Amino acid sequence: DAKTTQPNSMESNEEEPVHLPCNHSTISGTDYIHWYRQLPSQGPEYVIHGLTSNVNNRMASLAIAEDRKSSTLILHRATLRDAAVYYCILGLGNTGKLIFGQGTTLQVKP
Amino acid sequence: DTAVSQTPKYLVTQMGNDKSIKCEQNLGHDTMYWYKQDSKKFLKIMFSYNNKELIINETVPNRFSPKSPDKAHLNLHINSLELGDSAVYFCASSQNSGLVSETQYFGPGTRLLVL
């Protein structure tokens, strides 16, 4: 079964970069890697996604390993508003489903 | 304007009752989804509809029945509620045919508590 593995929790200091790792060793060639985050009492919010190449947007960067079995979400300067649960997700190319991991709870300290 | 909205936000009910959760999106998207988030925060897809047609139907008890009257609405009806149905239910939408390269936009969730 397709799945992702993430650390349960991580801490960061405000204004510092954060690297959130994810393993997805069962990924297949047509599966996308997505990251969403969920703030308390809200629905998940899209952060970034990619297939093979590294991706950048205004929120974050996504670094994808060459063999695609792992990826890292990079928040360049963490703010207190970035405290959330970050989900690493496989988008299965053969079924159209998003398979959520268990998420990493990011705590940002002032 | 809220892009994806759900009603009600909270739902407390007794075992055995039948209840519905409504979802509406004003994004003009073609595909809508229902997800369930359990007490351990694990999110799982239940259903997806594309232009009122059922696309994804996960292994969900047949007490759960989605209904899409038009492509902007996807409602979830639950019969004979059980304690294990207590969870947060999220509706989501995506622009086109639900390709895995598309961004999904989630609603705020409906917190269901079955007593």
Side-chain angles (χ1 to χ4, degrees), chain A residues 4-6 21-24 33-36 71 86-90 99-104:
Chain A
T4 62
T5 306
Q6 305 172 246
C22 181
N23 287 320
H24 30 76
I33 301 155
H34 292 257
W35 284 82
Y36 282 67
S71 62
Y86 286 78
Y87 290 99
C88 174
I89 300 156
L90 288 184
I99 306 298
F100 281 70
Q102 82 274 20
T104 296

PDB file of all heavy atoms in Angstrom, chain A residues 4-6 21-24 33-36 71 86-90 99-104:
ATOM      1  N   THR A   4       3.167   7.283   3.303  1.00  0.00           N
ATOM      2  CA  THR A   4       4.260   8.197   3.615  1.00  0.00           C
ATOM      3  C   THR A   4       4.572   8.110   5.099  1.00  0.00           C
ATOM      4  O   THR A   4       3.686   7.816   5.908  1.00  0.00           O
ATOM      5  CB  THR A   4       3.896   9.639   3.253  1.00  0.00           C
ATOM      6  OG1 THR A   4       2.771  10.051   4.034  1.00  0.00           O
ATOM      7  CG2 THR A   4       3.544   9.779   1.777  1.00  0.00           C
ATOM      8  N   THR A   5       5.816   8.378   5.449  1.00  0.00           N
ATOM      9  CA  THR A   5       6.259   8.336   6.837  1.00  0.00           C
ATOM     10  C   THR A   5       6.908   9.663   7.189  1.00  0.00           C
ATOM     11  O   THR A   5       7.814  10.117   6.481  1.00  0.00           O
ATOM     12  CB  THR A   5       7.268   7.197   7.061  1.00  0.00           C
ATOM     13  OG1 THR A   5       6.680   5.969   6.611  1.00  0.00           O
ATOM     14  CG2 THR A   5       7.603   7.062   8.536  1.00  0.00           C
ATOM     15  N   GLN A   6       6.412  10.261   8.278  1.00  0.00           N
ATOM     16  CA  GLN A   6       6.919  11.557   8.719  1.00  0.00           C
ATOM     17  C   GLN A   6       7.188  11.514  10.227  1.00  0.00           C
ATOM     18  O   GLN A   6       6.555  10.741  10.938  1.00  0.00           O
ATOM     19  CB  GLN A   6       5.882  12.657   8.481  1.00  0.00           C
ATOM     20  CG  GLN A   6       5.354  12.803   7.086  1.00  0.00           C
ATOM     21  CD  GLN A   6       4.207  13.797   7.045  1.00  0.00           C
ATOM     22  OE1 GLN A   6       3.065  13.453   6.766  1.00  0.00           O
ATOM     23  NE2 GLN A   6       4.532  15.064   7.308  1.00  0.00           N
ATOM     24  N   PRO A  21      10.969  16.420   6.782  1.00  0.00           N
ATOM     25  CA  PRO A  21      11.251  15.269   5.918  1.00  0.00           C
ATOM     26  C   PRO A  21      10.048  14.348   5.746  1.00  0.00           C
ATOM     27  O   PRO A  21       9.151  14.304   6.594  1.00  0.00           O
ATOM     28  CB  PRO A  21      12.363  14.545   6.684  1.00  0.00           C
ATOM     29  CG  PRO A  21      12.040  14.822   8.125  1.00  0.00           C
ATOM     30  CD  PRO A  21      11.401  16.196   8.172  1.00  0.00           C
ATOM     31  N   CYS A  22      10.087  13.572   4.656  1.00  0.00           N
ATOM     32  CA  CYS A  22       9.044  12.590   4.400  1.00  0.00           C
ATOM     33  C   CYS A  22       9.640  11.439   3.592  1.00  0.00           C
ATOM     34  O   CYS A  22      10.364  11.673   2.620  1.00  0.00           O
ATOM     35  CB  CYS A  22       7.903  13.235   3.621  1.00  0.00           C
ATOM     36  SG  CYS A  22       6.537  12.107   3.258  1.00  0.00           S
ATOM     37  N   ASN A  23       9.341  10.230   3.996  1.00  0.00           N
ATOM     38  CA  ASN A  23       9.740   9.055   3.224  1.00  0.00           C
ATOM     39  C   ASN A  23       8.524   8.469   2.522  1.00  0.00           C
ATOM     40  O   ASN A  23       7.446   8.350   3.112  1.00  0.00           O
ATOM     41  CB  ASN A  23      10.355   7.985   4.135  1.00  0.00           C
ATOM     42  CG  ASN A  23      11.742   8.378   4.592  1.00  0.00           C
ATOM     43  OD1 ASN A  23      12.511   8.919   3.815  1.00  0.00           O
ATOM     44  ND2 ASN A  23      12.059   8.142   5.843  1.00  0.00           N
ATOM     45  N   HIS A  24       8.706   8.111   1.276  1.00  0.00           N
ATOM     46  CA  HIS A  24       7.624   7.490   0.489  1.00  0.00           C
ATOM     47  C   HIS A  24       8.244   6.473  -0.438  1.00  0.00           C
ATOM     48  O   HIS A  24       8.219   6.630  -1.665  1.00  0.00           O
ATOM     49  CB  HIS A  24       6.777   8.528  -0.259  1.00  0.00           C
ATOM     50  CG  HIS A  24       7.514   9.767  -0.662  1.00  0.00           C
ATOM     51  ND1 HIS A  24       8.391   9.830  -1.724  1.00  0.00           N
ATOM     52  CD2 HIS A  24       7.511  11.006  -0.107  1.00  0.00           C
ATOM     53  CE1 HIS A  24       8.885  11.045  -1.816  1.00  0.00           C
ATOM     54  NE2 HIS A  24       8.371  11.790  -0.856  1.00  0.00           N
ATOM     55  N   ILE A  33       3.811  14.019  -5.332  1.00  0.00           N
ATOM     56  CA  ILE A  33       4.064  14.298  -3.916  1.00  0.00           C
ATOM     57  C   ILE A  33       3.433  15.650  -3.596  1.00  0.00           C
ATOM     58  O   ILE A  33       3.738  16.657  -4.227  1.00  0.00           O
ATOM     59  CB  ILE A  33       5.580  14.357  -3.634  1.00  0.00           C
ATOM     60  CG1 ILE A  33       6.235  13.034  -4.008  1.00  0.00           C
ATOM     61  CG2 ILE A  33       5.822  14.691  -2.152  1.00  0.00           C
ATOM     62  CD1 ILE A  33       7.703  13.156  -4.337  1.00  0.00           C
ATOM     63  N   HIS A  34       2.512  15.632  -2.651  1.00  0.00           N
ATOM     64  CA  HIS A  34       1.837  16.855  -2.230  1.00  0.00           C
ATOM     65  C   HIS A  34       2.160  17.129  -0.767  1.00  0.00           C
ATOM     66  O   HIS A  34       2.338  16.209   0.026  1.00  0.00           O
ATOM     67  CB  HIS A  34       0.312  16.710  -2.334  1.00  0.00           C
ATOM     68  CG  HIS A  34      -0.232  16.593  -3.714  1.00  0.00           C
ATOM     69  ND1 HIS A  34      -0.854  17.635  -4.356  1.00  0.00           N
ATOM     70  CD2 HIS A  34      -0.269  15.547  -4.566  1.00  0.00           C
ATOM     71  CE1 HIS A  34      -1.259  17.239  -5.545  1.00  0.00           C
ATOM     72  NE2 HIS A  34      -0.917  15.975  -5.710  1.00  0.00           N
ATOM     73  N   TRP A  35       2.139  18.397  -0.421  1.00  0.00           N
ATOM     74  CA  TRP A  35       2.171  18.800   0.988  1.00  0.00           C
ATOM     75  C   TRP A  35       1.002  19.741   1.249  1.00  0.00           C
ATOM     76  O   TRP A  35       0.778  20.701   0.498  1.00  0.00           O
ATOM     77  CB  TRP A  35       3.492  19.508   1.321  1.00  0.00           C
ATOM     78  CG  TRP A  35       4.665  18.580   1.451  1.00  0.00           C
ATOM     79  CD1 TRP A  35       5.427  18.065   0.449  1.00  0.00           C
ATOM     80  CD2 TRP A  35       5.227  18.084   2.661  1.00  0.00           C
ATOM     81  NE1 TRP A  35       6.420  17.272   0.951  1.00  0.00           N
ATOM     82  CE2 TRP A  35       6.334  17.270   2.316  1.00  0.00           C
ATOM     83  CE3 TRP A  35       4.926  18.243   4.014  1.00  0.00           C
ATOM     84  CZ2 TRP A  35       7.123  16.609   3.275  1.00  0.00           C
ATOM     85  CZ3 TRP A  35       5.720  17.599   4.964  1.00  0.00           C
ATOM     86  CH2 TRP A  35       6.794  16.791   4.583  1.00  0.00           C
ATOM     87  N   TYR A  36       0.271  19.437   2.289  1.00  0.00           N
ATOM     88  CA  TYR A  36      -0.791  20.307   2.786  1.00  0.00           C
ATOM     89  C   TYR A  36      -0.506  20.567   4.255  1.00  0.00           C
ATOM     90  O   TYR A  36       0.189  19.793   4.912  1.00  0.00           O
ATOM     91  CB  TYR A  36      -2.166  19.627   2.656  1.00  0.00           C
ATOM     92  CG  TYR A  36      -2.759  19.641   1.265  1.00  0.00           C
ATOM     93  CD1 TYR A  36      -2.169  18.922   0.231  1.00  0.00           C
ATOM     94  CD2 TYR A  36      -3.921  20.364   0.989  1.00  0.00           C
ATOM     95  CE1 TYR A  36      -2.732  18.941  -1.054  1.00  0.00           C
ATOM     96  CE2 TYR A  36      -4.480  20.379  -0.280  1.00  0.00           C
ATOM     97  CZ  TYR A  36      -3.879  19.665  -1.290  1.00  0.00           C
ATOM     98  OH  TYR A  36      -4.424  19.679  -2.558  1.00  0.00           O
ATOM     99  N   SER A  71      11.266  13.125   0.260  1.00  0.00           N
ATOM    100  CA  SER A  71      11.192  14.545  -0.103  1.00  0.00           C
ATOM    101  C   SER A  71      11.284  15.374   1.172  1.00  0.00           C
ATOM    102  O   SER A  71      11.118  14.846   2.287  1.00  0.00           O
ATOM    103  CB  SER A  71       9.900  14.857  -0.867  1.00  0.00           C
ATOM    104  OG  SER A  71       8.759  14.589  -0.068  1.00  0.00           O
ATOM    105  N   TYR A  86       1.691  19.383   9.274  1.00  0.00           N
ATOM    106  CA  TYR A  86       2.082  19.334   7.872  1.00  0.00           C
ATOM    107  C   TYR A  86       1.966  17.891   7.380  1.00  0.00           C
ATOM    108  O   TYR A  86       2.591  16.984   7.924  1.00  0.00           O
ATOM    109  CB  TYR A  86       3.507  19.851   7.687  1.00  0.00           C
ATOM    110  CG  TYR A  86       3.572  21.356   7.816  1.00  0.00           C
ATOM    111  CD1 TYR A  86       3.554  21.967   9.070  1.00  0.00           C
ATOM    112  CD2 TYR A  86       3.612  22.173   6.690  1.00  0.00           C
ATOM    113  CE1 TYR A  86       3.576  23.351   9.198  1.00  0.00           C
ATOM    114  CE2 TYR A  86       3.641  23.553   6.801  1.00  0.00           C
ATOM    115  CZ  TYR A  86       3.619  24.136   8.062  1.00  0.00           C
ATOM    116  OH  TYR A  86       3.626  25.506   8.179  1.00  0.00           O
ATOM    117  N   TYR A  87       1.158  17.709   6.346  1.00  0.00           N
ATOM    118  CA  TYR A  87       0.915  16.381   5.808  1.00  0.00           C
ATOM    119  C   TYR A  87       1.686  16.190   4.501  1.00  0.00           C
ATOM    120  O   TYR A  87       1.573  17.010   3.579  1.00  0.00           O
ATOM    121  CB  TYR A  87      -0.571  16.169   5.517  1.00  0.00           C
ATOM    122  CG  TYR A  87      -1.435  16.060   6.749  1.00  0.00           C
ATOM    123  CD1 TYR A  87      -2.164  17.155   7.207  1.00  0.00           C
ATOM    124  CD2 TYR A  87      -1.532  14.865   7.454  1.00  0.00           C
ATOM    125  CE1 TYR A  87      -2.966  17.066   8.336  1.00  0.00           C
ATOM    126  CE2 TYR A  87      -2.328  14.764   8.584  1.00  0.00           C
ATOM    127  CZ  TYR A  87      -3.044  15.873   9.021  1.00  0.00           C
ATOM    128  OH  TYR A  87      -3.828  15.780  10.133  1.00  0.00           O
ATOM    129  N   CYS A  88       2.428  15.107   4.446  1.00  0.00           N
ATOM    130  CA  CYS A  88       3.066  14.667   3.223  1.00  0.00           C
ATOM    131  C   CYS A  88       2.131  13.641   2.588  1.00  0.00           C
ATOM    132  O   CYS A  88       1.675  12.710   3.270  1.00  0.00           O
ATOM    133  CB  CYS A  88       4.424  14.046   3.555  1.00  0.00           C
ATOM    134  SG  CYS A  88       5.280  13.285   2.183  1.00  0.00           S
ATOM    135  N   ILE A  89       1.824  13.807   1.328  1.00  0.00           N
ATOM    136  CA  ILE A  89       0.732  13.054   0.712  1.00  0.00           C
ATOM    137  C   ILE A  89       1.179  12.502  -0.641  1.00  0.00           C
ATOM    138  O   ILE A  89       1.859  13.200  -1.406  1.00  0.00           O
ATOM    139  CB  ILE A  89      -0.469  14.000   0.485  1.00  0.00           C
ATOM    140  CG1 ILE A  89      -0.969  14.586   1.811  1.00  0.00           C
ATOM    141  CG2 ILE A  89      -1.592  13.310  -0.266  1.00  0.00           C
ATOM    142  CD1 ILE A  89      -1.707  15.895   1.659  1.00  0.00           C
ATOM    143  N   LEU A  90       0.798  11.290  -0.926  1.00  0.00           N
ATOM    144  CA  LEU A  90       0.994  10.753  -2.268  1.00  0.00           C
ATOM    145  C   LEU A  90      -0.297  10.885  -3.058  1.00  0.00           C
ATOM    146  O   LEU A  90      -1.359  10.457  -2.589  1.00  0.00           O
ATOM    147  CB  LEU A  90       1.410   9.285  -2.226  1.00  0.00           C
ATOM    148  CG  LEU A  90       2.818   8.980  -1.745  1.00  0.00           C
ATOM    149  CD1 LEU A  90       3.100   7.483  -1.870  1.00  0.00           C
ATOM    150  CD2 LEU A  90       3.854   9.774  -2.536  1.00  0.00           C
ATOM    151  N   ILE A  99      -3.363  10.108  -0.709  1.00  0.00           N
ATOM    152  CA  ILE A  99      -3.166   9.261   0.473  1.00  0.00           C
ATOM    153  C   ILE A  99      -2.359  10.078   1.475  1.00  0.00           C
ATOM    154  O   ILE A  99      -1.168  10.350   1.262  1.00  0.00           O
ATOM    155  CB  ILE A  99      -2.431   7.966   0.117  1.00  0.00           C
ATOM    156  CG1 ILE A  99      -3.156   7.234  -1.008  1.00  0.00           C
ATOM    157  CG2 ILE A  99      -2.284   7.082   1.360  1.00  0.00           C
ATOM    158  CD1 ILE A  99      -4.569   6.798  -0.678  1.00  0.00           C
ATOM    159  N   PHE A 100      -3.026  10.454   2.567  1.00  0.00           N
ATOM    160  CA  PHE A 100      -2.397  11.299   3.574  1.00  0.00           C
ATOM    161  C   PHE A 100      -1.516  10.474   4.499  1.00  0.00           C
ATOM    162  O   PHE A 100      -1.874   9.369   4.887  1.00  0.00           O
ATOM    163  CB  PHE A 100      -3.465  12.005   4.422  1.00  0.00           C
ATOM    164  CG  PHE A 100      -4.093  13.203   3.766  1.00  0.00           C
ATOM    165  CD1 PHE A 100      -4.937  13.060   2.685  1.00  0.00           C
ATOM    166  CD2 PHE A 100      -3.848  14.477   4.257  1.00  0.00           C
ATOM    167  CE1 PHE A 100      -5.514  14.167   2.084  1.00  0.00           C
ATOM    168  CE2 PHE A 100      -4.427  15.593   3.667  1.00  0.00           C
ATOM    169  CZ  PHE A 100      -5.262  15.439   2.582  1.00  0.00           C
ATOM    170  N   GLY A 101      -0.371  11.058   4.887  1.00  0.00           N
ATOM    171  CA  GLY A 101       0.434  10.485   5.960  1.00  0.00           C
ATOM    172  C   GLY A 101      -0.136  10.917   7.302  1.00  0.00           C
ATOM    173  O   GLY A 101      -1.186  11.564   7.375  1.00  0.00           O
ATOM    174  N   GLN A 102       0.587  10.557   8.377  1.00  0.00           N
ATOM    175  CA  GLN A 102       0.074  10.871   9.715  1.00  0.00           C
ATOM    176  C   GLN A 102       0.356  12.314  10.120  1.00  0.00           C
ATOM    177  O   GLN A 102      -0.189  12.803  11.096  1.00  0.00           O
ATOM    178  CB  GLN A 102       0.645   9.909  10.763  1.00  0.00           C
ATOM    179  CG  GLN A 102       2.042  10.253  11.270  1.00  0.00           C
ATOM    180  CD  GLN A 102       3.133   9.691  10.391  1.00  0.00           C
ATOM    181  OE1 GLN A 102       2.920   9.362   9.215  1.00  0.00           O
ATOM    182  NE2 GLN A 102       4.323   9.561  10.952  1.00  0.00           N
ATOM    183  N   GLY A 103       1.216  13.012   9.364  1.00  0.00           N
ATOM    184  CA  GLY A 103       1.470  14.413   9.614  1.00  0.00           C
ATOM    185  C   GLY A 103       2.558  14.686  10.633  1.00  0.00           C
ATOM    186  O   GLY A 103       2.817  13.874  11.526  1.00  0.00           O
ATOM    187  N   THR A 104       3.207  15.835  10.468  1.00  0.00           N
ATOM    188  CA  THR A 104       4.200  16.337  11.431  1.00  0.00           C
ATOM    189  C   THR A 104       3.651  17.596  12.063  1.00  0.00           C
ATOM    190  O   THR A 104       3.319  18.552  11.352  1.00  0.00           O
ATOM    191  CB  THR A 104       5.533  16.664  10.736  1.00  0.00           C
ATOM    192  OG1 THR A 104       6.107  15.476  10.206  1.00  0.00           O
ATOM    193  CG2 THR A 104       6.510  17.302  11.724  1.00  0.00           C
TER     194      THR A 104
END
